[in-house]
Amino acid sequence: MKYYAMAAALQALSAAVFLFMLVPRASMAASTLLQDKCAFYADDDRTSYNYCVRTLQADRASAIAARIARATAKATAYKISKLQVAEKVPARLDGLAICAAEYAAAVRRLGRAAKDAASGGAPELQEALTLLGEVTGAPERCQEAFEAVAGRQGSLPMNSADWELDDIVGVAIVIMPRKPTASTRA
């Protein structure tokens, strides 16, 4: 039960930070995005603005978004594992197993993407983008696979928090630098 509470708290935190990092235009540069969001957060308080910018620059915003996506994926994976324990219908168990594998892969990929994004080197940034792209669509793939295997046994009980994984991954992709910045070059 303790893990479930922690997973729920991580999901709530991810939703809050995700709202903070929402991207109004996909083409907006990462530095402008951070400045705009920090200005909104600070509400004309220069100290809060400086703190926000320093914090997000110290740990790349794309790495933060990848970590938030990983927390979201872990929470959904935990939910799936709880459903597996309670499930008695073999077809539904098979569908849940497929979803469990999908989310386990997503958690691994997002962990690696966060590390790569934080390092900031050109090959690592490209690898992070590739990994994020591989995770995109995990909720839909899970749902479709579950329905294909479980058939008339009902649909997977996914809620809005489970479906927001793609949104958070999308934020990470949009704000991911396409080349190393001056602060990350040796």
Side-chain angles (χ1 to χ4, degrees), residues 4-159:
Y4 181 72
M6 184 172 70
L10 283 174
Q11 246 181 333
L13 175 63
S14 74
V17 175
F18 173 68
L19 288 175
F20 170 74
M21 294 178 64
L22 277 176
V23 181
R25 294 183 311 274
S27 63
M28 180 180 279
S31 61
T32 303
L33 171 69
L34 297 180
Q35 291 166 352
D36 289 350
K37 295 306 170 188
C38 285
F40 177 77
Y41 160 78
D43 194 31
D44 293 329
D45 177 22
R46 190 65 182 173
T47 303
S48 296
Y49 173 82
N50 290 338
Y51 171 78
C52 178
V53 170
R54 265 194 329 271
T55 300
L56 292 178
Q57 286 177 339
D59 190 4
R60 299 180 154 274
S62 53
I64 293 171
R67 286 187 193 109
I68 292 167
R70 185 172 186 264
T72 300
K74 282 179 87 169
T76 301
Y78 179 73
K79 177 182 176 179
I80 291 167
S81 72
K82 298 300 276 184
L83 290 170
Q84 285 177 299
V85 170
E87 189 56 61
K88 304 296 183 224
V89 177
R92 288 179 61 87
L93 274 171
D94 291 345
L96 288 169
I98 293 169
C99 288
E102 179 73 42
Y103 275 89
V107 169
R108 285 190 308 274
R109 289 174 179 140
L110 289 165
R112 179 60 194 220
K115 288 178 186 173
D116 287 345
S119 75
E124 291 85 1
L125 291 173
Q126 184 56 50
E127 175 71 10
L129 283 168
T130 299
L131 291 165
L132 292 168
E134 290 172 359
V135 170
T136 301
E140 187 173 326
R141 286 190 300 272
C142 171
Q143 183 72 32
E144 288 174 358
F146 183 85
E147 289 173 358
V149 173
R152 295 185 181 171
Q153 302 297 324
S155 63
L156 180 65
M158 300 273 280
N159 64 29

